[in-house]
Amino acid sequence: MAVRDVLTYPDPRLRLVSAPVEDIQTAQGVIQDLCDTMSASGHSVGIAAPQIGELLRIIVIDCSKHVKKSQGQLVLVNPEVVATEGTYSMREGCMSLPDYLGPVTRPRRIQVKAIDRHGQPFELQVSKFEAIVIQHEIDHLNGVLFIDRVASPRTELMRRSALMQRQAEGESETE
Ligand SMILES: [Zn+2]
């Protein structure tokens, strides 16, 4: 339907708690806009409704470019993590903080329940990259940004441009 503008930090709307979707039919436009906005970015692996200014508990992920056996594009409405296991650290970035990357540690494996875009409930077990992306996006629904989870922002947050520079000089990314 439409590619929407992505809100960037410090837009105060990124700090609000989103409301559960009560009627899946009324959410179809937002779901489609999330899919369109994510694919238009070219590199995004996930997006949450508040990032386009819609304070609803909807996330869309697509890790197929990063994970061999990924779940493909997934729409999760009212997602909830019901179980977690282990820990996993990854360098995270965000469309709402386009200039920064930083290491975050989260559970390695999660069980999530949600409803799909047709209103059907489902449960999913994912690990590592996909699990991290889902947790990052669910954080957005609660007004939490990845920079809140970087242990030492002053020393660990890194400019994306600096990382590109280092990669150009031969350092490989850890993801
Ligand atoms: Zn984000």
Side-chain angles (χ1 to χ4, degrees), residues 1-4 6 30-48 52 60-65 73 95 117:
M1 277 186 29
V3 175
R4 305 269 298 263
V6 175
V30 175
I31 292 171
Q32 194 54 50
D33 287 357
L34 286 168
C35 296
D36 294 346
T37 306
M38 186 172 74
S39 32
S41 89
H43 63 270
S44 170
V45 289
I47 189 168
I52 59 166
V60 178
I61 70 155
D62 187 347
C63 300
S64 49
K65 286 182 190 154
Q73 187 186 77
M95 282 199 288
R117 65 190 302 170

Side-chain angles (χ1 to χ4, degrees), residues 153-166:
R154 198 174 292 179
T155 54
E156 293 180 332
L157 266 188
M158 178 175 232
R159 288 245 174 212
R160 204 177 269 272
S161 52
L163 181 72
M164 308 281 242
Q165 181 71 29
R166 274 168 51 172

Side-chain angles (χ1 to χ4, degrees), residues 46-47 51 93-97 136-137 140 145-146:
I47 189 168
Q51 289 182 282
C94 182
M95 282 199 288
S96 294
L97 289 130
H136 174 118
E137 301 308 335
H140 278 297
L145 299 170
F146 84 91

